[in-house]
Amino acid sequence: MRVTLAGVELRSPVIAASGTFGYGVEFEEIVALDHIGAFVTKGLSREPMPGNPSPRIVETAAGMINSIGLQNIGVRAFIAEKLPKLRTMKGAVVIANVFGYTMEDCVEVIHILNDAEGIAMYELNASCPNTAHGGMVFGTDPDALYWLASRCRHAAERPLMVKLSPNVTDIRLMAKVAADAGVQALSLVNTFVSLAIDIETRRPRIANVTGGLSGPAIKPIAVRMVYEAAQQVGLPVVGMGGISRAEDAVEFMLAGATAVQVGTASYADPRAVENIANGLRRWCAGHEVGRVADLTGGLVL
């Protein structure tokens, strides 16, 4: 079940996605961290962020719209308050998600994290659709993405993975831009910009008007984008978008993913990441797959 992601060995290809697993410590008594590959922290910014006003989560058919706005305690508080506990937790492989309003913000967060022990790699958030600055602003502009990824790559003393936005015309172009900037891995997709309206009040159901759609509704599009990105670049790709069972993880891996991230499913079942990891092991055993890594890119055309 082991896979290697940008030089980091994982016990399983199933990873808990950023924003859905807190800072990891919240799940200590719920999920056996040594049964999953890793978890990605909430997006860490230079200073604490309160996020967007409520309501900021709404259920949709086969999915969820959120506009949390990257609420977090800030990188320094994470190092001081959360990381010491994570270092004592058995099997915790920590991927720090990095965010900033500007390139300088992102670089500074990485510099601060470089001095902290207990982090395996970084995931650069160049794709959040729920902030007025940064996030998707970087992820939908090829030039901005290149310079952001390049500067953060040179700052990072650990492997750097870039999280791509699906809200683009050609995901292949954005994957190539990130690869050309020198990053070691890609993760995709983040959420799709969406809108839900309360037809009784005629008002948006999210205070921020629009939010990011996730969940099973987006899975076929996400699988297609993972396939295109994996075909375009020679980097390991981490796929996500609507994974709720082991068979979904297999589908992403056949499309070219080295590993997968599970997000929205954790809201319905807090143990979803572990259950999917265990289910993937059983699926491989039942289908005589000796090495889970052999699934990657196994799509037959």
Side-chain angles (χ1 to χ4, degrees):
M1 291 302 291
R2 293 182 180 271
V3 298
T4 301
L5 176 62
V8 178
E9 188 174 87
L10 306 178
R11 294 180 182 85
S12 166
V14 182
I15 300 169
S18 176
T20 63
F21 210 73
Y23 301 102
V25 295
E26 298 90 338
F27 283 77
E28 180 186 15
E29 298 180 0
I30 301 172
V31 173
L33 295 180
D34 56 350
H35 287 189
I36 68 175
F39 73 88
V40 188
T41 67
K42 287 176 65 68
L44 301 172
S45 55
R46 186 179 64 179
E47 304 295 338
M49 292 174 54
N52 291 329
S54 295
R56 54 189 191 178
I57 293 181
V58 60
E59 188 174 354
T60 67
M64 180 184 82
I65 298 175
N66 92 85
S67 184
I68 303 300
L70 292 167
Q71 174 185 344
N72 75 102
I73 61 176
V75 63
R76 293 178 179 84
F78 167 76
I79 292 172
E81 301 170 15
K82 308 295 184 181
L83 200 52
K85 175 64 174 177
L86 290 174
R87 286 196 288 260
T88 69
M89 292 169 58
K90 179 183 177 183
V93 177
V94 182
I95 301 174
N97 185 281
V98 174
F99 166 79
Y101 285 141
T102 66
M103 294 186 191
E104 289 73 19
D105 288 345
C106 294
V107 170
E108 183 173 349
V109 171
I110 289 174
H111 278 308
I112 294 169
L113 290 170
N114 280 340
D115 295 329
E117 296 181 6
I119 298 170
M121 62 187 297
Y122 305 131
E123 180 180 66
L124 176 62
N125 187 345
S127 52
C128 179
N130 302 320
T131 56
H133 308 283
M136 199 174 74
V137 176
F138 294 129
T140 56
D141 182 320
D143 288 338
L145 177 62
Y146 177 84
W147 288 111
L148 173 68
S150 179
R151 292 186 62 180
C152 289
R153 171 66 189 94
H154 285 94
E157 296 178 5
R158 297 182 173 99
L160 178 69
M161 174 167 63
V162 172
K163 189 172 186 177
L164 297 179
S165 171
N167 300 293
V168 296
T169 304
D170 187 353
I171 195 68
R172 292 167 295 190
L173 171 62
M174 307 311 287
K176 185 177 186 304
V177 165
D180 289 347
V183 305
Q184 290 100 326
L186 303 175
S187 61
L188 65 154
V189 297
N190 208 324
T191 56
F192 289 79
V193 177
S194 54
L195 171 64
I197 298 173
D198 183 327
I199 60 173
E200 301 300 329
T201 65
R202 304 189 179 188
R203 299 181 63 84
R205 297 180 68 189
I206 291 285
N208 200 45
V209 182
T210 61
L213 177 66
S214 62
I218 74 169
K219 195 193 81 175
I221 312 174
V223 171
R224 184 264 298 177
M225 289 187 161
V226 165
Y227 170 74
E228 292 180 342
Q231 290 290 305
Q232 183 67 37
V233 300
L235 298 177
V237 172
V238 178
M240 71 192 89
I243 296 173
S244 59
R245 57 188 192 138
E247 290 80 357
D248 298 330
V250 173
E251 194 171 348
F252 272 92
M253 295 187 73
L254 292 175
T258 295
V260 298
Q261 290 185 19
V262 176
T264 301
S266 292
Y267 289 95
D269 175 10
R271 298 189 68 241
V273 184
E274 182 180 355
N275 290 338
I276 292 169
N278 292 336
L280 180 58
R281 179 189 296 275
R282 291 192 297 271
W283 189 94
C284 288
H287 290 77
E288 299 182 351
V289 177
R291 296 175 63 253
V292 71
D294 292 339
L295 292 174
T296 298
L299 175 65
V300 178
L301 297 176

